[in-house]
Amino acid sequence: MYVATLLTNPAAPALDPALVDSLRNAWGGGDAIWLAPDVAAEFSLTELPSNQWDVWDSLQAQAVDLVIQPAENRRKKMLLADMDSTMIQQECIDELADEAGVGARVKDITARAMNGELDFEGALKERVGLLAGLPVEVIDHVLATRITHMPGGKTLIATMKANGAFAGLVSGGFTMFTAKVAAELGFDENRANTLLAEDGKLTGEVGLPILGRDAKIQALNEITARLGIAPKDVIAVGDGANDLGMLGLAGTGVALHAKPSVQAECQIRVNHGDLTALLYIQGYTQADFV
């Protein structure tokens, strides 16, 4: 058995019941269950539709996301999330680069690295090198004035934790950012890279080993082993090429507002919903939200 979930942006709810019923009838699905009025609905399927991706493509033009997944074990025991452009709306290193006066150069490298065009480790070292001499206190300024949470993040974590799940934040960014974001959103654990500093200024170097794609896989394996659960019990979310390993290993891997090359390798793509989409995908209703 499978479940098809249709959802849209909660800030502009426009999921048409007629659209849900039309698709359900075309695919011979079960009764529609509304998870949130005008925002998310689901129905059961006995088999995968052959035209799934054609329908997905047409629904994108209507600002509707479509997710089809096995019905079994879709409510997860652990969330593993990327930070930059996933749990927050910015790329931290790009914001620091703006403060250092090298914003345009760093943003170009970031975009290419996240799309898989550049080696992540080399790209990170190059970008951090451009921050040499930046006062450490600029990080607190950036956190206070430039960093905003992705909508739905706090609700996602609170709801999953209220239902017994563990929440981990694993980032190719920096501990000075993940520590604060994790505390604000309610994560149980956070992992990231370390920016090195001397005499109150960034040295332009990052602590080794660098946390990249393989380290995110390692985090998933280590945390699940410690908790006594399996990778199939994890829902992972990210947007960049360095997230693909953990997205592929997790039972449910969600490409959230992801780069094209990342979407191309993921079965679950959310382009219009916010982070509460990860709750609807698991079968939570709006009434279940914490």
Side-chain angles (χ1 to χ4, degrees), residues 51-62 64 66:
N51 62 342
Q52 173 186 348
W53 292 108
D54 291 334
V55 173
W56 179 89
D57 192 54
S58 67
L59 290 175
Q60 287 292 293
Q62 302 177 57
V64 173
L66 167 68

Side-chain angles (χ1 to χ4, degrees), residues 116-279:
E117 299 170 26
L118 299 174
D119 169 69
F120 178 81
E121 184 169 325
L124 184 66
K125 287 180 178 178
E126 181 179 357
R127 288 175 291 166
V128 170
L130 295 170
L131 302 179
L134 193 68
V136 171
E137 59 262 26
V138 170
I139 292 173
D140 288 334
H141 172 72
V142 167
L143 278 164
T145 62
R146 289 176 172 262
I147 302 303
T148 54
H149 298 157
M150 191 71 74
K154 188 170 283 190
T155 299
L156 166 64
I157 294 165
T159 302
M160 287 190 66
K161 288 180 66 174
N163 286 272
F166 183 92
L169 182 66
V170 57
S171 172
F174 309 112
T175 54
M176 292 177 179
F177 288 91
T178 60
K180 187 169 191 295
V181 170
E184 290 174 343
L185 293 178
F187 281 98
D188 297 298
E189 180 175 333
N190 71 91
R191 302 185 182 194
N193 292 301
T194 303
L195 282 173
L196 301 182
E198 285 183 7
D199 301 323
K201 294 184 178 181
L202 299 182
T203 65
E205 297 180 328
V206 61
L208 300 176
I210 288 176
L211 191 156
R213 175 175 173 149
D214 290 344
K216 293 192 176 193
I217 297 172
Q218 182 180 353
L220 192 156
N221 284 325
E222 288 178 356
I223 298 172
T224 53
R226 190 178 75 226
L227 297 175
I229 61 176
K232 69 178 182 180
D233 299 316
V234 177
I235 184 168
V237 60
D239 73 303
N242 62 322
D243 297 314
L244 280 169
M246 73 171 185
L247 296 180
L249 180 60
T252 301
V254 181
L256 181 82
H257 305 164
K259 310 304 181 284
S261 64
V262 178
Q263 289 197 44
E265 295 191 42
C266 293
Q267 292 294 305
I268 299 181
R269 312 164 187 175
V270 174
N271 291 326
H272 303 288
D274 64 13
L275 282 163
T276 59
L278 274 69
L279 293 172

Side-chain angles (χ1 to χ4, degrees), residues 57-75:
D57 192 54
S58 67
L59 290 175
Q60 287 292 293
Q62 302 177 57
V64 173
D65 291 313
L66 167 68
V67 174
I68 302 178
Q69 60 181 322
E72 185 179 2
N73 193 41
R74 65 181 174 130
R75 186 164 291 197

